[in-house]
Amino acid sequence: MKVVLVSQRIDRIESYGERRDALDVRWCEFLASAGLLGIPVPSMVDVDALIGALDSLAGLVLTGGNDLSTKSNDADSALRDRTESVLLDRMDHLGLPVVGVCRGMQFLAARAGFELDPIEDHVAVRHEVTALSGSTRFASHAARVVNSFHNYGVYGTAADYTAALAAPDGSIEAIEADSAAVFGVMWHPEREANFHPADIDLFRGVFG
């Protein structure tokens, strides 16, 4: 199996006075279906030490949870933003691929220059996605129905990025960098009752 780093959301547990890293257990199962072994990244970890301790690394997955700190003004989100910024810098330096999921795509989109605006009717619903470009990476996703669990939508354009898929309301559902293996999707592949073959193929293809 190829190894990928996996970012985590931060949950605040007031009754214990703790901030906890958290990751849906189905991520491990989904990644395994694509031939990948996910290594969760703790928020306070020394990223360089973590990467250096691995014999090999295939890339990075930025998962969902927590709004961006620019939208929430939240200390936990700010901590996560800092960790993911370092991770992305290291992936860029190493030339390794990245896939952002939901919040992860929002992070990639904001960093690239897309607009993020509040969106309605995108929490705990399903909708169709349609193609916006001639993307070969996302060709098998066009016209499929995906899940949706986000409060902010991605809009506009960004230099060096292509918007690949859109929701019926026009918000962007998938992006890809023009000159690097960096991709984002707004749905959660790990939350499907049965993992979708197109999602498995996407991750296998990106990190394979």
Side-chain angles (χ1 to χ4, degrees), residues 66-82 85 103 106-111 114-118 152:
N66 305 115
D67 291 324
L68 303 188
S69 61
T70 54
K71 301 299 181 182
S72 65
N73 194 30
D74 176 75
D76 298 336
S77 295
L79 173 58
R80 181 168 183 184
D81 285 354
R82 288 195 297 273
S85 289
R103 193 258 194 205
Q106 292 175 24
F107 191 76
L108 293 173
R111 186 170 159 121
F114 287 98
E115 299 174 11
L116 264 66
D117 292 316
Y152 289 89

Side-chain angles (χ1 to χ4, degrees), residues 86-98 111 180 182:
V86 173
L87 286 166
L88 283 173
D89 288 343
R90 299 303 183 272
M91 295 303 106
D92 182 59
H93 176 72
L94 295 169
L96 294 175
V98 177
R111 186 170 159 121
V182 179

Side-chain angles (χ1 to χ4, degrees), residues 95-184:
L96 294 175
V98 177
V99 175
V101 170
C102 196
R103 193 258 194 205
M105 173 172 144
Q106 292 175 24
F107 191 76
L108 293 173
R111 186 170 159 121
F114 287 98
E115 299 174 11
L116 264 66
D117 292 316
I119 196 168
E120 296 182 353
D121 301 322
H122 273 259
V123 176
V125 299
R126 299 183 68 83
H127 61 73
E128 188 177 14
V129 292
T130 55
L132 289 176
S133 67
S135 169
T136 56
R137 181 72 70 179
F138 290 103
S140 60
H141 294 268
R144 65 170 281 204
V145 174
V146 300
N147 59 56
S148 187
F149 294 93
H150 52 271
N151 295 309
Y152 289 89
V154 176
Y155 299 92
T157 60
D160 303 320
Y161 270 79
T162 298
L165 298 170
D169 60 11
S171 61
I172 299 170
E173 287 282 317
I175 60 174
E176 57 183 321
D178 296 337
S179 59
V182 179
F183 307 88

